[in-house]
Amino acid sequence: MTDGTRSGRTTSARGRRPGPTETREAILAAAREMFADKGYDGTSLRAIARAAGVDPALVHHFFGTKEGVFVEAMRFPVDPSVLLPQLLALPRERLGETIVRTFLRIWGDADRRAPLLAMLRSAMTNERAAAMMREFVSSALLGRAGAATGVPHLNIQAAVGQMIGVMILRYVLRVEPMASASEDELVELVAPTLQRYLG
Amino acid sequence: MTDGTRSGRTTSARGRRPGPTETREAILAAAREMFADKGYDGTSLRAIARAAGVDPALVHHFFGTKEGVFVEAMRFPVDPSVLLPQLLALPRERLGETIVRTFLRIWGDADRRAPLLAMLRSAMTNERAAAMMREFVSSALLGRAGAATGVPHLNIQAAVGQMIGVMILRYVLRVEPMASASEDELVELVAPTLQRYLG
């Protein structure tokens, strides 16, 4: 979609000032390339701006943080900087149920599931793709959740693992009865597991 | 490895009687093609024999059952008809720990993990590959385990989902501390979850 419109500089060289949509797309295209090439940790907001030929303030203006750029560039279906504070504000005993319902809402939507599956697929054969996803998950999700709650990272990962596995069985392999189980059935089945890990 | 040696009939037509290794490989190549094309449920041992141009008794002689052919043809890293009776013979309270250790042994071996990941990758974009895996998992694993134990299929799938997710985080994304956690740490963390689902 954005291929070939990567560099804002090229567009200006054509003598026309790029509009906000073109600039935004140029930043995202530059970001996708840098994340794939240097990983999440190896990419800075400043370096993305440089590659897109724009001022870093503009990247900040459009996307807030590096995390925000990543979420948009990779079409990551949820912004951890928005979701995590919501989860952390909940009474601890409602965490399990809310996480199950949140995963079901995101994965139940084919448009939001597709980019996740694409990333996971890449990570299965390509170490750079794996590194990018690992670094994003570690920095944006696990580190922050662990710091805010005091729950050990290993426990958070066991909980995330439970949800990833159930999502794969339900939405990728579509094994029955998992594929047709109701949201409430899955809450009853899986939420106590998450409570045990995160409680 | 076996490409181009698919049909026993072709080999005989060249005037040379195929040896047992060639026949075996021809059967496996025919089986791979049929499983991919017709799914697991849509493929019979007899049809595989026909496609390979051999007698069904020979397929039975080499591989026992359709399940045995599948395990060999897809390099599935474990034969459920061998593993399940071992698990079912255990005292129920040791099931969680044994399953965790079994998954770690299989996924910890890159050669056994590779074909599983390849199948999972295919299932993520290809509905036929997903169907093949779904049917095999349902018939060979879940159906049999459910029938023998009386544990609801949904519970068995929640347990399998827990293990698949943890394996992906540990061996594919290699997120820390999951990637470096010891076998005993993972048993302590995850076995109680499996016991809850399967107990």
Side-chain angles (χ1 to χ4, degrees), chain B residues 32-43:
Chain B
R32 264 188 293 276
E33 209 165 280
M34 288 212 79
F35 285 131
D37 196 38
K38 311 270 182 199
Y40 183 76
D41 291 345
T43 299

Side-chain angles (χ1 to χ4, degrees), chain A residues 70-112:
Chain A
F70 184 91
V71 165
E72 286 288 320
M74 309 310 290
R75 300 199 299 130
F76 201 78
V78 62
D79 185 342
S81 71
V82 175
L83 179 65
L84 275 179
Q86 290 171 358
L87 291 178
L88 296 172
L90 290 171
R92 190 67 74 97
E93 69 273 14
R94 289 199 40 217
L95 213 46
E97 171 173 357
T98 309
I99 291 173
V100 173
R101 294 196 192 278
T102 303
F103 266 86
L104 288 172
R105 198 175 64 239
I106 294 170
W107 282 73
D109 177 345
D111 286 345
R112 302 176 81 186

